[in-house]
Amino acid sequence: MKQPENSIPYLTVFAPLTLKTETVTSTVRSPSRALGVSSDIVQTYHFTLQPPGSFPASLYQVPLTLKTDPGKQSVLSIAISKTASKLPGPLEGWIASRLSNSLLDHDVSGLCWGICRYWEAAISRSKFWVKLQALSEKLKENPGYLEQAKKAYRKQGEADISRSATPDMDGHQYAIKDLIQHFERTSYCFSTSTGPNKLELLVSCPLTLDLWTSEPQLEPSICISGSSLKSTAASKIEKEAKRVFQGMIKRANNGDVDVDIGSLVKAVEAVIVILFGLV
C-alpha cells in the first residue's frame, strides 16, 4: 500500500499529545491450513503517547500495546506497560478501571481520548496553581492589595465578579518550568499571621476522569482553619466562605475546563477578601 505523502494529519489524531513510537508485528494465532481454513492473523501495535513541544517525556508517558484482528477489523486486547509508564495516580486508576470493564476494555478511541483530555485538564489546572502562587506573592509584597481588592469586591458584587471571570484568554504566557512544577499539585495553602488570629485557607482541586465519557472533571473545594478562633466562629466563617466560593463557581461554570479555571481564580480571590479581611 502506498504511504501518504504527508502523515502528520494521521499522527495528530492523538493531539495534543505526540505519538512517539509505533511498531507493528504480525503473528499467526491459530494455524489451521490443514483443515482448509485460513489462519488467524494478529497484528500487535506498540505506541507511546508523550507530551508535546518542550515538555519532558518523563512528565507524562503512556505506552500502549494494542492487539487487533485485521480480518475482522476488531480489537482483541489493550494493555499498558506499567514499568515504562509515567502516569498521575488518578489517570492510572481510571485506565485500570476501563481495562477491567468488559464494556470498555476494547474501546481504544475512548481510552486515548481520556488520556489526551487528562493532559489538557492537568495543564489548565497547573495554570490555576501558577495564578494562585502569583496572588499569594502579591498579597505578601503589597500590603495594600487586600484593601484595594475589598473595595473592588464590594463595588462590583459577587454576581458581577463571577460573570467577569475570564478563562485563559488574557494573553498571559506561562513558563514551561512553572507548569511542570505544579503538574501533579492538588492543593494550595494561603495563610496570614497579621492581627490576633492566624487564618489559613486550603484550596484543593483534584482532577478526575469520567469512566464512560472520558471527560475530565475538576472537584474544587476549600477548607479554613484558625489557630486562635473559637470553633463556633471558625464554623461560621468557613460556611460563609464556602457559600461564596461554590456560588461563584456554579454561576461561571459552563463545562469547559479553562473557563472553570478562570472562575476558580476569581472565586479564590473573593474568599481571600472575605477571610483575610477579618484579621
mmCIF file with all atom_site columns, all heavy atoms in Angstrom, residues 3-14 19 22:
data_model
loop_
_atom_site.group_PDB
_atom_site.id
_atom_site.type_symbol
_atom_site.label_atom_id
_atom_site.label_alt_id
_atom_site.label_comp_id
_atom_site.label_asym_id
_atom_site.label_entity_id
_atom_site.label_seq_id
_atom_site.pdbx_PDB_ins_code
_atom_site.Cartn_x
_atom_site.Cartn_y
_atom_site.Cartn_z
_atom_site.occupancy
_atom_site.B_iso_or_equiv
_atom_site.pdbx_formal_charge
_atom_site.auth_seq_id
_atom_site.auth_comp_id
_atom_site.auth_asym_id
_atom_site.auth_atom_id
_atom_site.pdbx_PDB_model_num
ATOM 1   N N   . GLN A 1 3  ? 2.272  4.749  0.868  1.00 0.00 ? 3  GLN A N   1
ATOM 2   C CA  . GLN A 1 3  ? 2.223  5.589  2.058  1.00 0.00 ? 3  GLN A CA  1
ATOM 3   C C   . GLN A 1 3  ? 1.778  6.996  1.672  1.00 0.00 ? 3  GLN A C   1
ATOM 4   O O   . GLN A 1 3  ? 2.125  7.505  0.604  1.00 0.00 ? 3  GLN A O   1
ATOM 5   C CB  . GLN A 1 3  ? 3.609  5.659  2.712  1.00 0.00 ? 3  GLN A CB  1
ATOM 6   C CG  . GLN A 1 3  ? 4.090  4.347  3.268  1.00 0.00 ? 3  GLN A CG  1
ATOM 7   C CD  . GLN A 1 3  ? 3.240  3.893  4.440  1.00 0.00 ? 3  GLN A CD  1
ATOM 8   O OE1 . GLN A 1 3  ? 2.801  4.697  5.234  1.00 0.00 ? 3  GLN A OE1 1
ATOM 9   N NE2 . GLN A 1 3  ? 3.000  2.598  4.528  1.00 0.00 ? 3  GLN A NE2 1
ATOM 10  N N   . PRO A 1 4  ? 0.987  7.667  2.513  1.00 0.00 ? 4  PRO A N   1
ATOM 11  C CA  . PRO A 1 4  ? 0.568  9.036  2.218  1.00 0.00 ? 4  PRO A CA  1
ATOM 12  C C   . PRO A 1 4  ? 1.761  9.969  2.208  1.00 0.00 ? 4  PRO A C   1
ATOM 13  O O   . PRO A 1 4  ? 2.729  9.772  2.948  1.00 0.00 ? 4  PRO A O   1
ATOM 14  C CB  . PRO A 1 4  ? -0.382 9.377  3.378  1.00 0.00 ? 4  PRO A CB  1
ATOM 15  C CG  . PRO A 1 4  ? 0.003  8.441  4.476  1.00 0.00 ? 4  PRO A CG  1
ATOM 16  C CD  . PRO A 1 4  ? 0.463  7.186  3.796  1.00 0.00 ? 4  PRO A CD  1
ATOM 17  N N   . GLU A 1 5  ? 1.709  10.987 1.346  1.00 0.00 ? 5  GLU A N   1
ATOM 18  C CA  . GLU A 1 5  ? 2.816  11.929 1.240  1.00 0.00 ? 5  GLU A CA  1
ATOM 19  C C   . GLU A 1 5  ? 3.024  12.690 2.549  1.00 0.00 ? 5  GLU A C   1
ATOM 20  O O   . GLU A 1 5  ? 4.141  12.999 2.934  1.00 0.00 ? 5  GLU A O   1
ATOM 21  C CB  . GLU A 1 5  ? 2.550  12.915 0.091  1.00 0.00 ? 5  GLU A CB  1
ATOM 22  C CG  . GLU A 1 5  ? 2.560  12.243 -1.275 1.00 0.00 ? 5  GLU A CG  1
ATOM 23  C CD  . GLU A 1 5  ? 2.310  13.240 -2.387 1.00 0.00 ? 5  GLU A CD  1
ATOM 24  O OE1 . GLU A 1 5  ? 2.198  14.450 -2.087 1.00 0.00 ? 5  GLU A OE1 1
ATOM 25  O OE2 . GLU A 1 5  ? 2.246  12.820 -3.551 1.00 0.00 ? 5  GLU A OE2 1
ATOM 26  N N   . ASN A 1 6  ? 1.913  13.042 3.212  1.00 0.00 ? 6  ASN A N   1
ATOM 27  C CA  . ASN A 1 6  ? 2.012  13.767 4.474  1.00 0.00 ? 6  ASN A CA  1
ATOM 28  C C   . ASN A 1 6  ? 1.296  12.972 5.557  1.00 0.00 ? 6  ASN A C   1
ATOM 29  O O   . ASN A 1 6  ? 0.080  12.868 5.564  1.00 0.00 ? 6  ASN A O   1
ATOM 30  C CB  . ASN A 1 6  ? 1.374  15.159 4.335  1.00 0.00 ? 6  ASN A CB  1
ATOM 31  C CG  . ASN A 1 6  ? 1.510  15.982 5.613  1.00 0.00 ? 6  ASN A CG  1
ATOM 32  O OD1 . ASN A 1 6  ? 2.237  15.597 6.523  1.00 0.00 ? 6  ASN A OD1 1
ATOM 33  N ND2 . ASN A 1 6  ? 0.817  17.105 5.673  1.00 0.00 ? 6  ASN A ND2 1
ATOM 34  N N   . SER A 1 7  ? 2.082  12.388 6.473  1.00 0.00 ? 7  SER A N   1
ATOM 35  C CA  . SER A 1 7  ? 1.491  11.532 7.501  1.00 0.00 ? 7  SER A CA  1
ATOM 36  C C   . SER A 1 7  ? 1.119  12.290 8.772  1.00 0.00 ? 7  SER A C   1
ATOM 37  O O   . SER A 1 7  ? 0.522  11.734 9.678  1.00 0.00 ? 7  SER A O   1
ATOM 38  C CB  . SER A 1 7  ? 2.463  10.408 7.873  1.00 0.00 ? 7  SER A CB  1
ATOM 39  O OG  . SER A 1 7  ? 3.648  10.970 8.409  1.00 0.00 ? 7  SER A OG  1
ATOM 40  N N   . ILE A 1 8  ? 1.462  13.587 8.845  1.00 0.00 ? 8  ILE A N   1
ATOM 41  C CA  . ILE A 1 8  ? 1.209  14.368 10.058 1.00 0.00 ? 8  ILE A CA  1
ATOM 42  C C   . ILE A 1 8  ? -0.265 14.365 10.474 1.00 0.00 ? 8  ILE A C   1
ATOM 43  O O   . ILE A 1 8  ? -0.580 14.169 11.650 1.00 0.00 ? 8  ILE A O   1
ATOM 44  C CB  . ILE A 1 8  ? 1.714  15.819 9.887  1.00 0.00 ? 8  ILE A CB  1
ATOM 45  C CG1 . ILE A 1 8  ? 3.232  15.822 9.703  1.00 0.00 ? 8  ILE A CG1 1
ATOM 46  C CG2 . ILE A 1 8  ? 1.331  16.664 11.090 1.00 0.00 ? 8  ILE A CG2 1
ATOM 47  C CD1 . ILE A 1 8  ? 3.985  15.216 10.875 1.00 0.00 ? 8  ILE A CD1 1
ATOM 48  N N   . PRO A 1 9  ? -1.232 14.584 9.540  1.00 0.00 ? 9  PRO A N   1
ATOM 49  C CA  . PRO A 1 9  ? -2.643 14.567 9.966  1.00 0.00 ? 9  PRO A CA  1
ATOM 50  C C   . PRO A 1 9  ? -3.048 13.264 10.632 1.00 0.00 ? 9  PRO A C   1
ATOM 51  O O   . PRO A 1 9  ? -3.920 13.249 11.494 1.00 0.00 ? 9  PRO A O   1
ATOM 52  C CB  . PRO A 1 9  ? -3.402 14.784 8.656  1.00 0.00 ? 9  PRO A CB  1
ATOM 53  C CG  . PRO A 1 9  ? -2.443 15.496 7.767  1.00 0.00 ? 9  PRO A CG  1
ATOM 54  C CD  . PRO A 1 9  ? -1.095 14.909 8.129  1.00 0.00 ? 9  PRO A CD  1
ATOM 55  N N   . TYR A 1 10 ? -2.419 12.154 10.246 1.00 0.00 ? 10 TYR A N   1
ATOM 56  C CA  . TYR A 1 10 ? -2.761 10.869 10.843 1.00 0.00 ? 10 TYR A CA  1
ATOM 57  C C   . TYR A 1 10 ? -2.160 10.734 12.238 1.00 0.00 ? 10 TYR A C   1
ATOM 58  O O   . TYR A 1 10 ? -2.746 10.125 13.128 1.00 0.00 ? 10 TYR A O   1
ATOM 59  C CB  . TYR A 1 10 ? -2.280 9.726  9.945  1.00 0.00 ? 10 TYR A CB  1
ATOM 60  C CG  . TYR A 1 10 ? -2.926 9.753  8.585  1.00 0.00 ? 10 TYR A CG  1
ATOM 61  C CD1 . TYR A 1 10 ? -2.315 10.411 7.520  1.00 0.00 ? 10 TYR A CD1 1
ATOM 62  C CD2 . TYR A 1 10 ? -4.162 9.152  8.369  1.00 0.00 ? 10 TYR A CD2 1
ATOM 63  C CE1 . TYR A 1 10 ? -2.910 10.455 6.273  1.00 0.00 ? 10 TYR A CE1 1
ATOM 64  C CE2 . TYR A 1 10 ? -4.770 9.193  7.125  1.00 0.00 ? 10 TYR A CE2 1
ATOM 65  C CZ  . TYR A 1 10 ? -4.140 9.847  6.079  1.00 0.00 ? 10 TYR A CZ  1
ATOM 66  O OH  . TYR A 1 10 ? -4.740 9.899  4.853  1.00 0.00 ? 10 TYR A OH  1
ATOM 67  N N   . LEU A 1 11 ? -0.980 11.323 12.425 1.00 0.00 ? 11 LEU A N   1
ATOM 68  C CA  . LEU A 1 11 ? -0.328 11.245 13.726 1.00 0.00 ? 11 LEU A CA  1
ATOM 69  C C   . LEU A 1 11 ? -0.994 12.158 14.754 1.00 0.00 ? 11 LEU A C   1
ATOM 70  O O   . LEU A 1 11 ? -0.974 11.886 15.941 1.00 0.00 ? 11 LEU A O   1
ATOM 71  C CB  . LEU A 1 11 ? 1.157  11.622 13.587 1.00 0.00 ? 11 LEU A CB  1
ATOM 72  C CG  . LEU A 1 11 ? 2.001  10.691 12.712 1.00 0.00 ? 11 LEU A CG  1
ATOM 73  C CD1 . LEU A 1 11 ? 3.435  11.185 12.668 1.00 0.00 ? 11 LEU A CD1 1
ATOM 74  C CD2 . LEU A 1 11 ? 1.961  9.257  13.227 1.00 0.00 ? 11 LEU A CD2 1
ATOM 75  N N   . THR A 1 12 ? -1.601 13.265 14.291 1.00 0.00 ? 12 THR A N   1
ATOM 76  C CA  . THR A 1 12 ? -2.206 14.205 15.220 1.00 0.00 ? 12 THR A CA  1
ATOM 77  C C   . THR A 1 12 ? -3.589 13.773 15.690 1.00 0.00 ? 12 THR A C   1
ATOM 78  O O   . THR A 1 12 ? -4.276 14.524 16.355 1.00 0.00 ? 12 THR A O   1
ATOM 79  C CB  . THR A 1 12 ? -2.314 15.608 14.584 1.00 0.00 ? 12 THR A CB  1
ATOM 80  O OG1 . THR A 1 12 ? -3.029 15.493 13.347 1.00 0.00 ? 12 THR A OG1 1
ATOM 81  C CG2 . THR A 1 12 ? -0.959 16.205 14.336 1.00 0.00 ? 12 THR A CG2 1
ATOM 82  N N   . VAL A 1 13 ? -3.986 12.557 15.339 1.00 0.00 ? 13 VAL A N   1
ATOM 83  C CA  . VAL A 1 13 ? -5.241 12.037 15.870 1.00 0.00 ? 13 VAL A CA  1
ATOM 84  C C   . VAL A 1 13 ? -5.150 11.917 17.389 1.00 0.00 ? 13 VAL A C   1
ATOM 85  O O   . VAL A 1 13 ? -6.162 11.896 18.088 1.00 0.00 ? 13 VAL A O   1
ATOM 86  C CB  . VAL A 1 13 ? -5.584 10.662 15.242 1.00 0.00 ? 13 VAL A CB  1
ATOM 87  C CG1 . VAL A 1 13 ? -4.617 9.598  15.712 1.00 0.00 ? 13 VAL A CG1 1
ATOM 88  C CG2 . VAL A 1 13 ? -7.019 10.248 15.543 1.00 0.00 ? 13 VAL A CG2 1
ATOM 89  N N   . PHE A 1 14 ? -3.913 11.863 17.925 1.00 0.00 ? 14 PHE A N   1
ATOM 90  C CA  . PHE A 1 14 ? -3.721 11.759 19.363 1.00 0.00 ? 14 PHE A CA  1
ATOM 91  C C   . PHE A 1 14 ? -3.443 13.122 19.996 1.00 0.00 ? 14 PHE A C   1
ATOM 92  O O   . PHE A 1 14 ? -3.025 13.197 21.148 1.00 0.00 ? 14 PHE A O   1
ATOM 93  C CB  . PHE A 1 14 ? -2.553 10.810 19.672 1.00 0.00 ? 14 PHE A CB  1
ATOM 94  C CG  . PHE A 1 14 ? -2.769 9.414  19.154 1.00 0.00 ? 14 PHE A CG  1
ATOM 95  C CD1 . PHE A 1 14 ? -2.148 8.982  17.988 1.00 0.00 ? 14 PHE A CD1 1
ATOM 96  C CD2 . PHE A 1 14 ? -3.608 8.538  19.827 1.00 0.00 ? 14 PHE A CD2 1
ATOM 97  C CE1 . PHE A 1 14 ? -2.352 7.693  17.509 1.00 0.00 ? 14 PHE A CE1 1
ATOM 98  C CE2 . PHE A 1 14 ? -3.819 7.249  19.357 1.00 0.00 ? 14 PHE A CE2 1
ATOM 99  C CZ  . PHE A 1 14 ? -3.192 6.827  18.195 1.00 0.00 ? 14 PHE A CZ  1
ATOM 100 N N   . LEU A 1 19 ? 2.674  11.094 19.227 1.00 0.00 ? 19 LEU A N   1
ATOM 101 C CA  . LEU A 1 19 ? 2.870  9.652  19.075 1.00 0.00 ? 19 LEU A CA  1
ATOM 102 C C   . LEU A 1 19 ? 4.363  9.425  18.909 1.00 0.00 ? 19 LEU A C   1
ATOM 103 O O   . LEU A 1 19 ? 4.916  9.662  17.845 1.00 0.00 ? 19 LEU A O   1
ATOM 104 C CB  . LEU A 1 19 ? 2.097  9.154  17.859 1.00 0.00 ? 19 LEU A CB  1
ATOM 105 C CG  . LEU A 1 19 ? 1.966  7.640  17.692 1.00 0.00 ? 19 LEU A CG  1
ATOM 106 C CD1 . LEU A 1 19 ? 1.190  7.046  18.848 1.00 0.00 ? 19 LEU A CD1 1
ATOM 107 C CD2 . LEU A 1 19 ? 1.280  7.315  16.370 1.00 0.00 ? 19 LEU A CD2 1
ATOM 108 N N   . GLU A 1 22 ? 5.910  3.793  17.098 1.00 0.00 ? 22 GLU A N   1
ATOM 109 C CA  . GLU A 1 22 ? 4.860  2.885  16.633 1.00 0.00 ? 22 GLU A CA  1
ATOM 110 C C   . GLU A 1 22 ? 5.505  1.713  15.907 1.00 0.00 ? 22 GLU A C   1
ATOM 111 O O   . GLU A 1 22 ? 6.264  1.895  14.964 1.00 0.00 ? 22 GLU A O   1
ATOM 112 C CB  . GLU A 1 22 ? 3.889  3.597  15.693 1.00 0.00 ? 22 GLU A CB  1
ATOM 113 C CG  . GLU A 1 22 ? 2.777  2.670  15.204 1.00 0.00 ? 22 GLU A CG  1
ATOM 114 C CD  . GLU A 1 22 ? 1.840  3.359  14.219 1.00 0.00 ? 22 GLU A CD  1
ATOM 115 O OE1 . GLU A 1 22 ? 2.040  4.551  13.946 1.00 0.00 ? 22 GLU A OE1 1
ATOM 116 O OE2 . GLU A 1 22 ? 0.936  2.685  13.727 1.00 0.00 ? 22 GLU A OE2 1
#
